Amino acid sequence: MTTWTDSTADRPITFSAPSGVDRSAHHRLDEAWLAAAWSHPTTRVFVVSGGQALIDDTPDGRTELIMTPSFEAPLTEAHRYYLGTDEEGVSYFALQKDSLPGRLDQSARAAGLREAGLLLSPRDAGLLVHAVALENWQRMHRFCSRCGERTVIAAAGHIRRCPACGAEHYPRTDPAVIMLVTDEQDRALLGRQVHWPEGRFSTLAGFVEPGESIEQSVAREVYEEAGVVVGDVEYVASQPWPFPSSLMLGFMARATSSEIQVDGEEIEEARWFSRDDLTAAFASGEVLPPYGISIAARLIEQWYGKPLPRP
């Protein structure tokens, strides 16, 4: 059995590394504290719009999320979200706007998490994930699901309250399972979704259904998508995935059958790969690895024993 080598084990899963920012949820309802934090000269603010923010490359080769002091930030009436405070006492806010502000030096560029996730520091990536997740939820849940009244923002962006019926609504997170399945020959099952480019293969994945355990979800999704029966299921790690509101729960699973029958709707093609098969397919270009920000790459690496080639 190949183990996860030091070269892969030391690399944190994208969006899951410690950011150094304490979300400090106890401050979200303290309007006086929030006002003081907003006006503090060390506070830093960035704008999020449509899942994107401004990033910039520094002279020393790093990529940073562009943040400004609060007194330089664009005005907003309600869409100001407190994201937390770091160990040095710096507080961070995100502003949701209809468009990103321009930059006088023209050096900045707009980027979403798929591009910026691998470039930003754990602090900046964590802040952007938090802000994008809140923005997605805020844009899609403006009305009360109980009575239909328009809701108002509270708790520094983490609650929407209904002024009519008093209901409180919280940010939605949809649990999803993502799994690398191996068989008795220790081959890995990889599939290609219908809308993916030719050659792009990755792990199977799907949403947890109501009344279902995550282990049951793993087995059901693998059978539905590839016709393979799964036995043992082992949890590995999780990853926030705000596209728009998921939490990916990563697993290793052992198949008890090997015949593949794809559903043809979500999965167009699925194959068993030995490590040698996958190495040769990468080298020839027959198979493209999953995108680097996804936990899928780390699950495959755990079995593969070394980092995957960059797509």
Side-chain angles (χ1 to χ4, degrees), residues 187-242:
R187 298 179 301 174
L189 178 65
L190 302 179
R192 186 171 69 83
Q193 291 190 17
V194 173
H195 62 275
W196 285 356
E198 191 71 27
R200 176 79 68 200
F201 280 81
S202 188
T203 55
L204 304 183
F207 287 103
V208 180
E209 293 188 347
E212 182 178 56
S213 72
I214 52 179
E215 293 83 2
Q216 291 171 333
S217 181
V218 169
R220 175 185 53 77
E221 286 287 349
V222 173
Y223 186 76
E224 288 179 355
E225 294 184 349
V228 172
V229 178
V230 163
D232 293 337
V233 175
E234 180 182 358
Y235 172 75
V236 177
S238 65
Q239 178 187 36
W241 194 251

Side-chain angles (χ1 to χ4, degrees), residues 145-189:
S145 58
R146 179 185 293 176
C147 72
E149 184 71 23
R150 190 177 186 92
T151 54
V152 296
I153 296 173
H158 294 77
I159 293 176
R160 291 193 73 101
R161 289 199 178 107
C162 179
C165 70
E168 288 189 345
H169 304 279
Y170 295 84
R172 174 174 173 171
T173 298
D174 301 316
V177 292
I178 183 167
M179 46 276 173
L180 182 71
V181 181
T182 57
D183 68 359
E184 61 181 11
Q185 301 177 51
D186 205 23
R187 298 179 301 174
L189 178 65

